[in-house]
Coordinates of all heavy atoms in Angstrom, one line a residue:
F1 N 0.9 -1.2 0.0 CA 0.0 0.0 0.0 C 0.9 1.2 0.0 O 1.7 1.4 0.9 CB -0.9 0.0 1.2 CG -1.7 -1.2 1.4 CD1 -1.3 -2.2 2.3 CD2 -2.9 -1.4 0.7 CE1 -2.0 -3.4 2.4 CE2 -3.6 -2.6 0.9 CZ -3.2 -3.6 1.7
R2 N 0.8 2.0 -1.0 CA 1.6 3.2 -1.1 C 0.9 4.4 -0.5 O -0.3 4.7 -0.9 CB 2.0 3.5 -2.6 CG 3.0 2.5 -3.1 CD 3.5 2.8 -4.5 NE 4.6 2.0 -4.9 CZ 4.5 0.8 -5.5 NH1 3.3 0.3 -5.7 NH2 5.5 0.1 -5.8
I3 N 1.5 5.2 0.3 CA 0.9 6.3 1.0 C 1.6 7.6 0.6 O 2.8 7.7 0.7 CB 0.9 6.1 2.5 CG1 0.0 7.1 3.2 CG2 2.3 6.0 3.1 CD1 -0.3 6.8 4.7
V4 N 0.8 8.6 0.3 CA 1.3 9.9 -0.1 C 0.4 11.0 0.6 O -0.8 11.0 0.3 CB 1.3 10.2 -1.6 CG1 1.9 11.5 -1.9 CG2 2.2 9.1 -2.3
K5 N 0.9 11.8 1.5 CA 0.2 12.9 2.1 C -1.1 12.3 2.7 O -2.2 13.0 2.5 CB -0.1 14.0 1.1 CG 1.2 14.7 0.7 CD 0.8 15.9 -0.3 CE 2.1 16.6 -0.7 NZ 1.8 17.7 -1.7
G6 N -1.0 11.2 3.4 CA -2.2 10.7 4.1 C -3.2 10.0 3.2 O -4.2 9.5 3.7
K7 N -2.9 9.8 1.9 CA -3.8 9.1 1.0 C -3.1 7.8 0.6 O -1.9 7.8 0.4 CB -4.2 9.9 -0.2 CG -5.0 11.1 0.1 CD -5.3 11.9 -1.2 CE -6.2 13.1 -0.9 NZ -6.5 13.8 -2.2
I8 N -3.8 6.7 0.6 CA -3.2 5.4 0.3 C -3.9 4.7 -0.8 O -5.1 4.8 -0.9 CB -3.2 4.6 1.6 CG1 -2.2 3.5 1.6 CG2 -4.6 4.0 1.9 CD1 -1.9 2.9 2.9
R9 N -3.1 4.1 -1.6 CA -3.7 3.3 -2.7 C -3.1 1.9 -2.7 O -1.9 1.7 -2.5 CB -3.3 3.9 -4.0 CG -3.9 5.3 -4.3 CD -3.6 5.7 -5.7 NE -2.2 6.1 -5.9 CZ -1.7 6.5 -7.1 NH1 -2.5 6.5 -8.1 NH2 -0.4 6.7 -7.2
E10 N -4.0 0.9 -2.8 CA -3.5 -0.5 -2.9 C -2.8 -0.7 -4.2 O -3.1 -0.1 -5.2 CB -4.7 -1.5 -2.8 CG -4.2 -2.9 -2.7 CD -5.3 -3.9 -2.4 OE1 -6.4 -3.4 -2.0 OE2 -5.1 -5.1 -2.6
N11 N -1.8 -1.5 -4.2 CA -1.0 -1.8 -5.4 C -2.0 -2.2 -6.5 O -2.9 -3.0 -6.3 CB 0.0 -3.0 -5.1 CG 1.4 -2.6 -5.6 OD1 1.7 -1.5 -5.7 ND2 2.2 -3.6 -5.8
G12 N -1.7 -1.7 -7.7 CA -2.5 -2.2 -8.8 C -3.5 -1.2 -9.3 O -4.3 -1.5 -10.2
E13 N -3.6 0.0 -8.7 CA -4.6 0.9 -9.1 C -4.1 1.8 -10.2 O -4.9 2.6 -10.7 CB -5.0 1.8 -7.9 CG -5.8 1.0 -6.8 CD -6.3 1.9 -5.7 OE1 -6.0 3.1 -5.7 OE2 -7.1 1.4 -4.9
G14 N -2.9 1.8 -10.6 CA -2.3 2.6 -11.6 C -2.6 2.1 -13.0 O -3.3 1.1 -13.2
K15 N -1.9 2.7 -14.0 CA -2.1 2.3 -15.4 C -1.6 0.8 -15.5 O -0.6 0.4 -15.0 CB -1.2 3.2 -16.3 CG -1.3 2.9 -17.7 CD -0.3 3.8 -18.5 CE -0.4 3.6 -20.0 NZ -0.5 2.2 -20.5
K16 N -2.3 0.1 -16.3 CA -1.9 -1.3 -16.6 C -1.0 -1.4 -17.8 O -1.3 -0.8 -18.9 CB -3.2 -2.2 -16.8 CG -4.1 -2.4 -15.6 CD -3.4 -3.2 -14.6 CE -4.4 -3.5 -13.4 NZ -3.7 -4.3 -12.3
N17 N 0.1 -2.0 -17.7 CA 1.0 -2.3 -18.8 C 0.6 -3.7 -19.3 O 0.5 -4.7 -18.6 CB 2.5 -2.4 -18.4 CG 3.0 -1.0 -18.0 OD1 3.2 -0.2 -18.8 ND2 3.2 -0.8 -16.7
R18 N 0.4 -3.8 -20.6 CA 0.0 -5.1 -21.3 C 0.9 -5.3 -22.4 O 0.9 -4.5 -23.4 CB -1.5 -5.0 -21.7 CG -2.5 -4.9 -20.6 CD -3.9 -4.8 -21.1 NE -4.9 -4.8 -20.0 CZ -5.3 -3.7 -19.4 NH1 -4.9 -2.5 -19.8 NH2 -6.2 -3.8 -18.4
I19 N 1.6 -6.4 -22.4 CA 2.6 -6.8 -23.4 C 2.3 -8.2 -23.9 O 2.2 -9.1 -23.1 CB 4.0 -6.7 -22.8 CG1 4.3 -5.3 -22.2 CG2 5.1 -7.0 -23.8 CD1 5.6 -5.2 -21.5
P20 N 2.3 -8.3 -25.2 CA 2.0 -9.7 -25.8 C 3.2 -10.6 -25.4 O 4.3 -10.3 -25.4 CB 2.0 -9.4 -27.3 CG 1.7 -8.0 -27.5 CD 2.3 -7.3 -26.3
V21 N 2.8 -11.9 -25.1 CA 3.8 -12.9 -24.8 C 4.2 -13.6 -26.1 O 3.3 -14.1 -26.8 CB 3.2 -13.9 -23.8 CG1 4.2 -15.0 -23.5 CG2 2.9 -13.2 -22.4
V22 N 5.5 -13.7 -26.3 CA 6.0 -14.4 -27.5 C 6.0 -15.9 -27.3 O 5.6 -16.7 -28.1 CB 7.4 -13.9 -27.9 CG1 7.9 -14.6 -29.1 CG2 7.4 -12.4 -28.2
Y23 N 6.5 -16.3 -26.1 CA 6.6 -17.7 -25.8 C 6.5 -17.8 -24.3 O 7.0 -17.0 -23.5 CB 7.9 -18.2 -26.3 CG 8.2 -19.7 -25.9 CD1 7.5 -20.7 -26.6 CD2 9.1 -20.0 -24.9 CE1 7.7 -22.0 -26.3 CE2 9.4 -21.3 -24.6 CZ 8.7 -22.3 -25.3 OH 8.9 -23.6 -25.0
L24 N 5.8 -18.9 -23.9 CA 5.6 -19.2 -22.4 C 6.1 -20.5 -22.1 O 5.8 -21.5 -22.7 CB 4.1 -19.1 -22.1 CG 3.7 -18.9 -20.6 CD1 4.1 -17.5 -20.2 CD2 2.2 -19.0 -20.4
K25 N 7.0 -20.6 -21.0 CA 7.6 -21.8 -20.6 C 7.3 -22.0 -19.1 O 7.6 -21.2 -18.3 CB 9.1 -21.8 -20.9 CG 9.8 -23.1 -20.4 CD 11.3 -23.0 -20.7 CE 12.0 -24.2 -20.2 NZ 13.5 -24.1 -20.4
K26 N 6.8 -23.2 -18.8 CA 6.6 -23.5 -17.4 C 7.9 -23.9 -16.7 O 8.6 -24.8 -17.2 CB 5.5 -24.6 -17.2 CG 5.0 -24.8 -15.8 CD 3.7 -25.7 -15.8 CE 3.1 -25.7 -14.5 NZ 1.9 -26.5 -14.4
I27 N 8.3 -23.3 -15.6 CA 9.5 -23.6 -15.0 C 9.4 -24.3 -13.6 O 10.3 -24.7 -13.0 CB 10.4 -22.3 -14.8 CG1 9.7 -21.2 -14.1 CG2 10.9 -21.9 -16.2 CD1 10.6 -20.0 -13.9
S28 N 8.1 -24.3 -13.1 CA 7.8 -25.0 -11.8 C 6.3 -25.2 -11.8 O 5.6 -24.8 -12.7 CB 8.3 -24.2 -10.6 OG 7.5 -23.2 -10.3
G29 N 5.8 -25.8 -10.7 CA 4.4 -26.0 -10.6 C 3.6 -24.7 -10.5 O 2.4 -24.7 -10.8
S30 N 4.3 -23.6 -10.1 CA 3.6 -22.4 -9.8 C 4.1 -21.2 -10.7 O 3.5 -20.1 -10.6 CB 3.6 -22.0 -8.4 OG 5.0 -21.8 -7.9
M31 N 5.2 -21.4 -11.4 CA 5.8 -20.3 -12.1 C 6.1 -20.6 -13.6 O 6.3 -21.7 -13.9 CB 7.2 -19.9 -11.5 CG 7.1 -19.3 -10.1 SD 8.6 -18.6 -9.4 CE 9.6 -20.1 -9.4

């Protein structure tokens, strides 16, 4: 949670970056 002058925003409220995935490789059960 980022706080500036008493105001707080949960992570993820900013602009979304969206990038096409060229290739996806599974490297573990969760990643």
Side-chain angles (χ1 to χ4, degrees):
F1 306 97
R2 289 184 170 88
I3 187 166
V4 179
K5 295 182 179 179
K7 294 181 179 180
I8 201 164
R9 293 187 292 177
E10 185 173 346
N11 232 22
E13 291 184 353
K15 179 186 185 318
K16 294 291 185 182
N17 292 289
R18 295 180 174 90
I19 302 175
V21 175
V22 177
Y23 178 73
L24 200 67
K25 178 183 178 182
K26 195 167 186 179
I27 55 177
S28 75
S30 61
M31 295 190 295

